[in-house]
Amino acid sequence: MKIFKNKLFRIRILILLFLLQMTGSLLAQTAMINVSSRNKTSLNGQWQVILDPAGAGDWKQVWQEKKPQIKTDFVEYSFDGGPYLKVPGDFNSQLCELTYLEGTVWYKKQFENSLQPGKRLFLHFGAVNYIADVYLNGEKIGSHEGGFTPFQFEITNKVKTGTNTIVVKVNNHRKGNGIPGFGYDWFNYGGITRDVDLIETNTSYIEDYFIQMKKGSLNKVLGWVQLNGAQTAQNIKIKIPELNLVCKARTDEKGHAKVEFSSRFKLWSPETPKLYKVIVECENDVVTDSIGFRSIEVKGTKVLLNGKPIFLKAVNIHEENPYKKARAYSIDDARILLNAAKELRCNFVRLAHYPHSENMIREAEKMGLMVWNELPVYQHIQFSDSIVTRKLELMLNEMVRRDRNRCGVVVWSLSNETYPGTPNRNEALIDLTKKCKALDSTRLITHVINTQTYKDNSFNVWDPLYQYSDLIAINEYIGWYIPWQGKPSETKWQISLPDKPVFVSEFGGEALYGSNSGPTDEAAYWTEAYQEKIFVNQTEMFSTIPNLCGVCPWLLFDYRSLGRMNQQYQNGYNRKGLLSENGNKKKAWFIMRDFYNKK
Ligand code: GCU
């Protein structure tokens, strides 16, 4: 009997190893950082596509691009003869037959390669929503799940001299065990939505680094550099020419080197968004970055930027170019959204509800806008599924690795409006918070909650996650989803953790720009005056909130969300924007701008 048991155990181990080998080798790698500074070849542009709403491409194995071999052969798929789609860019906004597609599109791109000996080659994606299955020359090289973070595959030993063919299966179906899950209030743009690059490196290269101010310091940097492929210890240099600063270090057996240096930095702030040219060197690689230095911390009930209390004048932004009705991705898209935030007198943008493009983060930093970076852990998430908790950790790593050198990012937000009653929600998110702190202890970490109760004009605010958050972040829609129960100026607050800063991360209501004919005291007419009144009352209520460190109206622009089906006023748009999708300022916009002007 014992022999049988051992045999069974061995068989199980072999099956597990096979599955790990299958999944392990086919999972994308967490991407190297600072792609813009690398030796890269862009694969952006026109890609051939096969539209596959029936999901037939898998069993036809379209990535093999079979060709007829004999006179009686024929093949019932081809990229040739089909349409092209622009990469980067969502597919829904490019072809009218794809407008509402939640399904599969197969993309194809060819490139010429002449990789020299001693060089390595990587295929890097800025983001693909939602699942990418990637094939090179007919062979699957891996998959990635998650629509808003970068990933890469090393193809050094898979690429051939001459013409190579990439095929990417993109599927944007919502998934019950996805992140986000089935239900969310934004447009599910699918596609290869950000840049695609081939990156060539030496055998060892600078994969990652962390160069930011030490927590609570105004002059000391505590960081590290991580090499990939280094067989022996290497000398590392961090140079900041403008400060005549050179910091030297040496990597350990894992290619890791700690760095520590001090200087009298010109600190980054909204008023002075100073960025330094920083050169990171090892013995056979060099990358250049633009890095700012600042301190962000919570002290008691205040948020301190560079040691001084700051009021966070924020606005929520979705990653959508309102004028193109498409997923935003470019520097121009970023500037449209961020300039509108600056015009509202903001010093802070909450990039809802997922990591936006690196263009958005870098442009915000240059413009002096602090950034709230958020995982798409939105409402209904299957926290008790172990695959989901694994995905949470992967997405966290991808977000933090890409942006942790961006001093403009001051908040990592790990969830939005999840429900305390969901099985394993508290445990999973508390664990995720600890993992985030281990990855980056220099920034504020928070969860966004809407579990507060509002009764007799009094808020009772409590959630198990608050004790693990640096901020008490509350979404409340008094005046829209819930009528006022008394004078805004007489609102009472019962906050379970009274010694933390409170941030109103969402508030507002809907209005159709130009809708001013209906009764202005009735919500059902989507009048600007009704929305304006919400903002007047909300800004009055803010004075009653203890330890208020900032507010963040939902949201900057009207944006597409198919669940918004009132065909008189919404037409597939969430109309809580302070601006219409054509950039028109609603009456409420002026209330918010004046409130911020007085701050
Ligand atoms: C929620 C949610 C938003 C949503 C908003 C609304 O608070 O966080 O994503 O769009 O409310 O109902 O408009």
Side-chain angles (χ1 to χ4, degrees):
M1 192 56 181
K2 191 167 169 35
I3 295 170
F4 173 73
K5 274 191 174 175
N6 283 344
K7 210 170 198 176
L8 188 62
F9 177 73
R10 275 206 304 277
I11 290 167
R12 279 185 177 151
I13 290 296
L14 286 172
I15 291 169
L16 182 64
L17 286 174
F18 171 74
L19 289 174
L20 279 174
Q21 170 60 16
M22 279 306 293
T23 51
S25 67
L26 290 181
L27 268 188
Q29 297 169 336
T30 304
M32 67 179 82
I33 66 168
N34 193 1
V35 168
S36 55
S37 173
R38 306 285 182 169
N39 176 10
K40 66 186 174 76
T41 305
S42 174
L43 294 180
N44 290 349
Q46 295 297 318
W47 288 48
Q48 286 182 289
V49 294
I50 295 175
L51 314 186
D52 186 10
D58 277 313
W59 66 269
K60 286 177 180 287
Q61 299 185 317
V62 299
W63 58 89
Q64 292 188 350
E65 291 203 88
K66 293 190 192 90
K67 299 289 181 259
Q69 300 303 308
I70 56 175
K71 288 186 184 306
T72 51
D73 271 358
F74 58 89
V75 177
E76 289 190 78
Y77 64 83
S78 74
F79 282 97
D80 296 339
Y84 286 76
L85 287 179
K86 184 178 168 299
V87 168
D90 69 86
F91 53 58
N92 303 94
S93 63
Q94 293 194 52
L95 288 176
C96 62
E97 57 265 44
L98 295 179
T99 299
Y100 298 112
L101 178 72
E102 287 194 335
T104 297
V105 173
W106 296 86
Y107 287 75
K108 173 186 170 182
K109 187 74 173 180
Q110 294 190 306
F111 66 91
E112 297 306 312
N113 171 63
S114 53
L115 191 62
Q116 303 307 311
K119 297 292 185 185
R120 296 169 69 180
L121 194 63
F122 297 86
L123 177 58
H124 179 280
F125 292 84
V128 175
N129 189 43
Y130 174 74
I131 290 185
D133 293 304
V134 183
Y135 302 83
L136 178 66
N137 301 326
E139 178 203 346
K140 185 162 187 181
I141 58 173
S143 299
H144 180 268
E145 178 172 345
F148 306 99
T149 42
F151 57 98
Q152 69 181 37
F153 302 96
E154 180 161 9
I155 56 173
T156 309
N157 301 321
K158 300 176 188 305
V159 73
K160 60 186 183 184
T161 304
T163 305
N164 291 265
T165 302
I166 300 166
V167 169
V168 183
K169 174 191 175 188
V170 176
N171 183 287
N172 70 327
H173 268 126
R174 287 164 291 154
K175 289 160 62 90
N177 69 356
I179 301 171
F182 272 127
Y184 44 87
D185 188 18
W186 64 85
F187 194 93
N188 180 21
Y189 290 109
I192 302 179
T193 48
R194 294 179 192 158
D195 296 339
V196 183
D197 290 291
L198 289 168
I199 300 173
E200 186 177 295
T201 73
N202 288 323
T203 44
S204 66
Y205 69 93
I206 299 164
E207 176 184 75
D208 193 6
Y209 49 83
F210 186 33
I211 301 171
Q212 285 285 281
M213 204 76 92
K214 179 179 178 240
K215 183 86 178 169
S217 171
L218 293 180
N219 64 356
K220 175 174 277 189
V221 168
L222 214 48
W224 45 264
V225 177
Q226 179 63 53
L227 305 185
N228 180 300
Q231 303 306 318
T232 57
Q234 290 199 20
N235 293 321
I236 299 290
K237 279 184 191 167
I238 309 282
K239 296 176 182 173
I240 307 181
E242 190 178 334
L243 299 173
N244 294 318
L245 186 144
V246 178
C247 168
K248 295 178 182 175
R250 190 153 175 80
T251 59
D252 61 19
E253 69 287 348
K254 292 181 183 151
H256 189 84
K258 287 188 174 28
V259 294
E260 182 175 338
F261 55 88
S262 299
S263 185
R264 292 173 55 79
F265 298 102
K266 185 172 184 185
L267 299 176
W268 184 94
S269 73
E271 296 73 27
T272 57
K274 173 66 180 170
L275 300 174
Y276 287 91
K277 177 181 175 182
V278 177
I279 301 162
V280 184
E281 270 181 22
C282 70
E283 289 169 16
N284 59 359
D285 193 13
V286 58
V287 290
T288 302
D289 208 340
S290 284
I291 295 182
F293 300 98
R294 54 98 191 95
S295 164
I296 189 78
E297 56 189 327
V298 163
K299 269 223 168 102
T301 61
K302 300 284 183 201
V303 171
L304 306 184
L305 177 69
N306 300 327
K308 298 191 190 90
I310 187 166
F311 189 82
L312 304 174
K313 302 185 282 187
V315 70
N316 281 284
I317 298 178
H318 259 301
E319 191 172 46
E320 181 174 279
N321 179 321
Y323 306 109
K324 292 181 182 168
K325 298 171 176 41
R327 178 64 77 214
Y329 62 84
S330 67
I331 290 174
D332 288 346
D333 293 338
R335 286 174 179 159
I336 286 169
L337 297 168
L338 296 171
N339 282 327
K342 292 284 276 190
E343 190 182 2
L344 187 62
R345 307 295 191 278
C346 295
N347 61 13
F348 188 30
V349 288
R350 177 179 180 220
L351 302 186
H353 285 293
Y354 37 75
H356 289 209
S357 75
E358 192 169 351
N359 289 326
M360 190 72 169
I361 310 281
R362 286 183 179 269
E363 287 305 306
E365 198 175 50
K366 287 178 197 164
M367 295 165 71
L369 284 165
M370 292 177 282
V371 168
W372 168 301
N373 220 339
E374 186 161 294
L375 285 178
V377 182
Y378 184 89
Q379 297 184 353
H380 297 284
I381 299 290
Q382 291 179 1
F383 290 109
S384 52
D385 180 339
S386 59
I387 293 178
V388 170
T389 46
R390 174 93 182 104
K391 289 176 189 176
L392 287 172
E393 186 175 356
L394 279 175
M395 249 177 228
L396 172 72
N397 271 299
E398 291 168 345
M399 175 178 77
V400 173
R401 173 182 275 206
R402 189 194 73 177
D403 295 336
R404 66 178 143 210
N405 291 301
R406 307 276 69 82
C407 70
V409 175
V410 296
V411 172
W412 298 121
S413 171
L414 306 185
S415 68
N416 178 75
E417 297 190 348
T418 59
Y419 306 105
T422 308
N424 201 45
R425 171 261 200 180
N426 295 344
E427 297 81 354
L429 290 180
I430 292 166
D431 181 54
L432 197 66
T433 310
K434 291 173 181 167
K435 286 186 165 76
C436 187
K437 206 169 276 293
L439 287 171
D440 173 17
S441 62
T442 68
R443 289 175 172 87
L444 311 187
I445 298 173
T446 197
H447 295 270
V448 176
I449 305 296
N450 67 336
T451 51
Q452 66 276 0
T453 55
Y454 175 63
K455 193 167 174 298
D456 304 329
N457 206 27
S458 174
F459 274 98
N460 190 322
V461 179
W462 159 244
D463 190 286
L465 297 178
Y466 277 148
Q467 56 187 331
Y468 300 91
S469 299
D470 290 312
L471 301 175
I472 302 281
I474 300 171
N475 288 353
E476 51 84 11
Y477 283 91
I478 311 304
W480 180 250
Y481 290 123
I482 306 171
W484 292 97
Q485 295 172 359
K487 282 189 187 167
S489 59
E490 293 172 3
T491 308
K492 302 280 179 297
W493 291 82
Q494 178 63 41
I495 298 182
S496 58
L497 284 173
D499 58 351
K500 290 194 177 186
V502 175
F503 180 74
V504 181
S505 36
E506 290 182 33
F507 66 94
E510 300 211 11
L512 173 64
Y513 174 74
S515 169
N516 296 309
S517 54
T520 57
D521 59 348
E522 293 183 31
Y525 292 87
W526 265 258
T527 60
E528 286 190 56
Y530 194 90
Q531 184 194 41
E532 179 187 37
K533 185 65 180 161
I534 292 172
F535 277 76
V536 168
N537 289 336
Q538 284 278 341
T539 50
E540 194 180 298
M541 178 182 74
F542 293 152
S543 59
T544 70
I545 304 177
N547 314 325
L548 185 66
C549 70
V551 295
C552 190
W554 185 267
L555 78 166
L556 188 59
F557 279 95
D558 287 354
Y559 69 100
R560 298 175 68 194
S561 179
L562 297 181
R564 305 294 175 168
M565 300 189 290
N566 180 309
Q567 298 188 89
Q568 282 182 286
Y569 302 109
Q570 294 178 312
N571 288 305
Y573 272 85
N574 182 316
R575 295 263 180 229
K576 297 188 183 70
L578 291 168
L579 299 167
S580 74
E581 70 274 28
N582 299 312
N584 308 104
K585 295 181 177 75
K586 300 176 190 175
K587 293 179 191 297
W589 182 94
F590 298 91
I591 304 298
M592 206 62 227
R593 188 275 311 270
D594 294 348
F595 176 78
Y596 283 160
N597 265 343
K598 291 179 196 132
K599 275 295 175 190

